[in-house]
Amino acid sequence: MALDDDALSFTNEQGRRARKLFAAVVLAALDDAIKDEKTFGPGKGAEGIARWANSRDGMEVLMNAGIEVNSRTVDGLVAFVKRGVRVSNALSLKDDQDKAAA
């Protein structure tokens, strides 16, 4: 019985690690799209992230990251890119807001 519990625990941990890895790929894709948006002009990065999210590879990465792929998700990714705040900055701003609220 303990062996089965250990195997299940290992499998769950591996799944969590894989989801984190794919989530990192999504964040990197967002950063790349934001960079494209700033480099090539308004709409270019947003169009690119929408194309990627609707592509077979993009959908697979999003699903493996634990993100449901639908039009609302794609619209959210596009809106994030149009906002132009890099992922690392957005996360640090959220941390600052959380600290201020506490």
Side-chain angles (χ1 to χ4, degrees):
M1 187 73 169
L3 182 60
D4 290 338
D5 290 343
D6 288 343
L8 183 59
S9 177
F10 177 76
T11 301
N12 287 339
E13 181 60 27
Q14 290 296 93
R16 276 192 293 279
R17 288 180 186 164
R19 259 190 308 285
K20 285 181 181 181
L21 176 66
F22 281 103
V25 172
V26 173
L27 296 178
L30 284 168
D31 269 349
D32 287 347
I34 291 167
K35 185 175 125 192
D36 289 348
E37 187 84 359
K38 290 179 180 179
T39 303
F40 301 114
K44 297 299 180 184
E47 289 172 14
I49 199 71
R51 273 193 317 273
W52 175 79
N54 286 312
S55 72
R56 184 191 306 167
D57 290 341
M59 284 192 264
E60 189 169 342
V61 169
L62 289 167
M63 286 188 301
N64 286 329
I67 300 169
E68 184 179 340
V69 182
N70 56 40
S71 62
R72 185 174 176 208
T73 301
V74 175
D75 292 345
L77 294 172
V78 168
F80 187 86
V81 169
K82 285 183 177 180
R83 220 173 297 131
V85 179
R86 303 224 18 183
V87 172
S88 58
N89 293 342
L91 293 174
S92 66
L93 289 173
K94 173 118 174 66
D95 288 344
D96 291 345
Q97 290 172 348
D98 290 345
K99 287 178 187 175

